[in-house]
Amino acid sequence: MHWNASARTHLFPLLATLVLAALLAACGGPTAPPPAAPSANEPAPAQEASSSTESVATAPVDSGNEAPMLAEKVAAGELPPLEERLPETPLVVEPLEQPGKYGGIWDMAVTGQADANGASGYSIEPWVLYDETCTEWRPNLAESVEVSDDGTEFTFTIRKGHKWSDGEPFTTEDIMFWYEDIAMNPELSPAPPTIIMAGGEPAVFERIDDHTFKVKFAQPNGLFLLNLAYVWGGDIGKAPAHYLKQFHPNYADPDELQAKVDEAGLESWVQLIQDKMGIAINPDLPVLRAWKLTAAGPPWIFERNPYFYKIDPQGRQLPYIDQIRLQAVEDRQMVTLKAIAGELDYQSRNISLSDLPLFMQNREQGDYRVIKAMAEHPMGVTIFPNQNYVGDDEFIYSLITDIRFRKALNLAINREELNELVYLGENAPIEVAFPNLQDEPELFEVYRYDPEAANQLLDEIGLEKDSNGMRLRPDGEPIVLNVDVFSGQTFVDAVELIASYWEDIGIQVSPQEISYDLWWPRIFSFEYPFTAYVKDSIGGLARFTYLRSYAPVSNSTYWAPAWGTWYSSGGTEGVEPPADSPARKAQLLFDEAKVTVDSARQMEILEEIERLDLENVWEILTVGPGPNIKIVKNNFRNVPEVNYCVLHDSDAWAEQYYIDE
């Protein structure tokens, strides 16, 4: 089914409100008119990162400073006392509002296993974190980090007495197991993880003693700490050797290992150990996080880690909350309904800005508050023409790779109207996402609303029209663009409106909404001609941690996944971009940034990559970044009211959230 021009007359947020309100009314829910949206508090933008290895002060530990559920286990002899479970120097976390209360269940909703995997990602414990402006870093999981002047050596110290969630020591044995048997194992890792690469060579890990290890690069690695701090930027060393060795052929008995593979119904030990390392898949996996999986879903149950290494200023072990429960729902609309009904404690995933009026009108009955805060990331809905499309439609591929066609699609969009209808007028212009290039207005000319110029470009390409004004393929059939749309009402609404604009220049759209569980298989197939999601817009040098939208450096570079796969796999998979192409130039610039320790030069390199991105019009952009929405129960406390830079906020230190029963 094709979406047509009449779509622009639909008031998408209002429609969503009316439909959901009707559903609520059928269930006895409130349907009063929505009040005005709250104002947003804009956070400081991310800046350059600088080095600091100052230790965080520690608080005295009292053996009574633990959750009642753990105290009961201690009394029953099932768990060692608190002083034996904490490291010698636990990390002190200052609560955002006040010290919390122990206990309670944090209810969230996810749309399936893939969404549960994503939700659990935000509980990662980075080796370092940056301050709220992304200018200064400090140790987090590491007790200390020392960086050589030339940026080639990083020395990490693990806290003495730090333990995995099962009580086994966390030491450099785990680090070396990860490095030697996972990261450098060609069966598990066909290419070494990009985070340990610099100058085309992998780092060398050296064990100094049980609590100290060194990472040595052949060339400077100016992005190493930035990547370690970002939740999706990469990780090193967190592999519980005492548990995982039983699934690795370097340590396990061959017959016993094969029996485990057969019992799991898998084809190889590689698949087995990958499953066993799944944070949201394997309840037996020891972790260093605040909560560990105890029941695979649905629902997914995570319970407090009795050996977690952080405390509050009073010496009380964190986390405050006993359990996280991820409930499974069919789709994002059901997430919205459960949030409105007051059934979710804190939900930020799968929450749509277009539903803001509905969230606001139901606050009192749902007993929740709505946190609306400006974010630097991501930009609005973006359509990515796949430069590496491997489908059998050569004509569509010829259009995708013609910059005139990509320019025409951009020129046809009425961004001011789209912002009002889809984003309630809340999102910033595209230029805001490119602060270093705002003095080059010619780079943004293609994002003006100019259907006449769009038609001229399509005429120049030679696309003829039929009697209805529809552009035609060489065989005389109308041109139809198949667009995979990431599941969610905002994405669907935006693409529907974009389709109406494109129909005005004779281009029809056939959308297909793709669920989270099917999204990544589709992306990794390279078979989609167009896909609709968002463009990343992390600010400052932190943009290097998630560069996929600006250069083909990842298998999730939606506009060139095969080129990105080739780069991230070290050339073992995917497709190499042409040597003289802008895409390859962007990759080489990223290589230069990695081995540069001068932050000023790094920023110059970033500007060059961004300029290439805009000059080549790789994407169909709509609007810049805007606010995001969090639905938080009124008794769920210590949640920040602003968005911090991404290197500071691993879900804003969830261990200090608490439920005020």
Side-chain angles (χ1 to χ4, degrees), residues 251-397:
Y251 304 93
D253 177 88
D255 294 335
E256 293 180 3
L257 180 56
Q258 186 60 49
K260 289 183 172 72
V261 172
D262 295 340
E263 183 181 359
L266 300 173
E267 296 181 359
S268 68
W269 73 270
V270 171
Q271 293 178 335
L272 179 66
I273 198 170
Q274 287 173 339
D275 276 1
K276 295 301 182 181
M277 291 190 291
I279 293 292
I281 296 175
N282 180 15
D284 295 326
L285 178 70
V287 300
L288 300 169
R289 304 177 181 212
W291 297 271
K292 77 170 296 293
L293 184 72
T294 56
W300 292 262
I301 306 297
F302 296 80
E303 290 189 356
R304 63 166 62 253
N305 173 3
Y307 294 89
F308 192 55
Y309 69 104
K310 293 181 180 179
I311 59 177
D312 70 11
Q314 284 71 45
R316 302 164 68 222
Q317 187 187 32
L318 299 171
Y320 292 130
I321 295 175
D322 285 340
Q323 186 181 102
I324 297 175
R325 182 167 55 197
L326 305 183
Q327 306 174 24
V329 298
E330 182 178 353
D331 52 30
R332 289 185 173 210
Q333 187 178 58
M334 290 305 300
V335 175
T336 297
L337 290 173
K338 291 183 77 68
I340 289 169
E343 297 176 13
L344 306 178
D345 293 294
Y346 168 26
Q347 186 78 25
S348 59
R349 294 180 68 83
N350 302 308
I351 294 295
S352 173
L353 177 65
S354 62
D355 290 327
L356 178 61
L358 189 61
F359 290 131
M360 295 300 292
Q361 77 181 45
N362 289 289
R363 287 175 296 172
E364 184 175 351
Q365 179 157 326
D367 191 27
Y368 61 78
R369 62 194 185 277
V370 177
I371 297 178
K372 169 175 163 280
M374 285 300 296
E376 65 179 11
H377 164 78
M379 298 175 67
V381 169
T382 302
I383 294 182
F384 301 89
N386 181 5
Q387 303 299 309
N388 304 143
Y389 170 58
V390 296
D392 56 6
D393 195 329
E394 295 183 3
F395 173 70
I396 289 296
Y397 178 72

Side-chain angles (χ1 to χ4, degrees), residues 28 60 63 99 160 206 251 257 259 279 286 299 314 494 525 528 536 641-642:
S63 60
K160 293 181 179 179
E206 177 185 339
Y251 304 93
L257 180 56
I279 293 292
Q314 284 71 45
S525 75
Y528 59 92
D536 309 302
E641 301 281 334
V642 299

Side-chain angles (χ1 to χ4, degrees), residues 85-90 143 157-163 170-171 209-212:
R85 304 198 311 268
L86 287 171
E88 292 182 9
T89 55
E143 183 173 31
T157 300
I158 298 172
R159 291 175 172 81
K160 293 181 179 179
H162 198 160
K163 296 179 175 65
F170 172 44
T171 69
D209 55 39
D210 284 350
H211 302 97
T212 311

Side-chain angles (χ1 to χ4, degrees), residues 394-504:
E394 295 183 3
F395 173 70
I396 289 296
Y397 178 72
S398 71
L399 294 180
I400 289 172
T401 55
D402 191 327
I403 191 173
R404 296 173 297 177
F405 189 71
R406 302 196 297 273
K407 286 182 177 180
L409 296 183
N410 271 293
L411 288 163
I413 297 174
N414 185 338
R415 290 171 174 80
E416 183 176 347
E417 182 179 70
L418 184 147
N419 192 18
E420 290 295 329
L421 293 180
V422 178
Y423 293 100
L424 310 181
E426 296 277 359
N427 280 48
I430 292 169
E431 291 86 342
V432 170
F434 296 87
N436 301 317
L437 300 176
Q438 290 186 17
D439 60 348
E440 301 179 42
E442 65 277 7
L443 294 174
F444 304 95
E445 274 293 301
V446 73
Y447 305 119
R448 72 185 189 276
Y449 179 45
D450 194 341
E452 182 178 349
N455 272 309
Q456 289 174 354
L457 286 170
L458 298 181
D459 291 341
E460 182 181 318
I461 295 172
L463 301 178
E464 297 181 355
K465 298 180 182 179
D466 64 13
S467 59
N468 296 317
M470 294 296 101
R471 300 282 177 171
L472 301 176
R473 300 169 57 95
D475 61 6
E477 292 296 316
I479 295 173
V480 180
L481 305 183
N482 295 315
V483 180
D484 288 355
V485 184
F486 188 79
S487 180
Q489 194 61 50
T490 297
F491 299 110
V492 171
D493 289 347
V495 173
E496 182 174 350
L497 188 55
I498 292 168
S500 74
Y501 297 139
W502 288 354
E503 187 161 322
D504 283 349

Side-chain angles (χ1 to χ4, degrees), residues 19-35:
V19 171
L20 286 172
L23 289 170
L24 283 170
C27 301
T31 57

Side-chain angles (χ1 to χ4, degrees), residues 403 406-407 440 443 447 608 610-618:
I403 191 173
R406 302 196 297 273
K407 286 182 177 180
E440 301 179 42
L443 294 174
Y447 305 119
E608 292 182 59
E610 292 172 343
R611 189 175 291 106
L612 284 170
D613 176 44
L614 292 173
E615 288 175 344
N616 288 278
V617 196
W618 296 125

